[in-house]
Amino acid sequence: MRVMTTKDPAPPQTRVPPPVRPPVPPPPRWAVRAAHVAAWSTVPSGVWRVALVLGVPVGVMEREEFLASFPDNSPLLALGYVLLLGAVAEAASYLTFGLVRPWGEVVPRWIPLLGGRPVNTSLAVLAASLGALTVTVLWWVLFFGGLLTAPSPDPGISAGEALFVAAYAPLLLWGPLLAAVTWSYHRRTHPVRAVPEPRR
């Protein structure tokens, strides 16, 4: 005679949900303002270049002198070049908003394949830090550093040169402000964890 024994059914396999990311605090007001200034810092120089191609007197360079660097002195190629250059610079500076907006924490849903996924904040901090270093070196050292060390045939500064400096000077703010906003974003998305005190 066999004794029938019953066994408890195997517990169903349960999936451990992924850890929930703690809510990110809102950005401070100063970081939001700094992001706006950084995003708009590329606009005046872009307008200056477009004015140059369109023949508006800018005082530093003549339109024909600028067009001479393009095949057949083509104004269409020159206009396309300055528009593309301006679009790239403004798009890059616009990304600063991602450090103070929700789409810097969660990918917008309209983006294919990635929409709705959390942003890799460590990668975002790295990219923004490299960007801040790059534009700081580009404008502070290479561009304006070159202007200050270049020999000037005329003493003083003309009205055209003042207009040129006024158009390009905001670019000096881009790198430092991007670095400051990146630091704020890092602090918000990577909070410092308290170290537990050792037991006595």
Side-chain angles (χ1 to χ4, degrees):
M1 180 177 180
R2 295 182 178 178
V3 179
M4 301 295 294
T5 58
T6 57
K7 295 182 179 180
D8 294 335
Q13 295 182 354
T14 57
R15 295 182 178 179
V16 178
V20 179
R21 178 184 292 184
V24 178
R29 185 174 299 177
W30 69 262
V32 176
R33 292 176 178 174
H36 278 81
V37 175
W40 283 95
S41 65
T42 58
V43 174
S45 58
V47 173
W48 186 92
R49 289 189 296 269
V50 173
L52 172 64
V53 175
L54 295 180
V56 178
V58 292
V60 175
M61 181 183 296
E62 296 295 332
R63 179 174 184 259
E64 290 72 17
E65 181 183 354
F66 181 73
L67 296 180
S69 58
F70 294 89
D72 300 327
N73 296 346
S74 173
L76 290 179
L77 288 178
L79 182 60
Y81 168 78
V82 297
L83 290 178
L84 178 61
L85 181 62
V88 171
E90 289 166 23
S93 62
Y94 181 81
L95 291 177
T96 310
F97 282 129
L99 302 174
V100 295
R101 297 278 178 85
W103 54 270
E105 302 163 15
V106 178
V107 180
R109 294 191 177 279
W110 56 266
I111 296 181
L113 303 178
L114 298 177
R117 296 186 179 183
V119 172
N120 187 330
T121 54
S122 297
L123 187 60
V125 169
L126 176 61
S129 300
L130 292 177
L133 177 62
T134 300
V135 296
T136 299
V137 172
L138 175 64
W139 296 115
W140 280 84
V141 179
L142 300 181
F143 189 76
F144 277 94
L147 289 180
L148 294 176
T149 57
S152 178
D154 300 322
I157 182 171
S158 65
E161 291 171 338
L163 177 62
F164 173 80
V165 171
Y168 276 83
L171 293 170
L172 295 174
L173 302 174
W174 186 4
L177 289 179
L178 176 56
V181 178
T182 302
W183 175 77
S184 174
Y185 176 83
H186 172 72
R187 289 197 65 184
R188 291 190 302 113
T189 58
H190 299 78
V192 178
R193 297 179 179 178
V195 179
E197 296 182 358
R199 296 181 179 178
R200 295 181 179 178

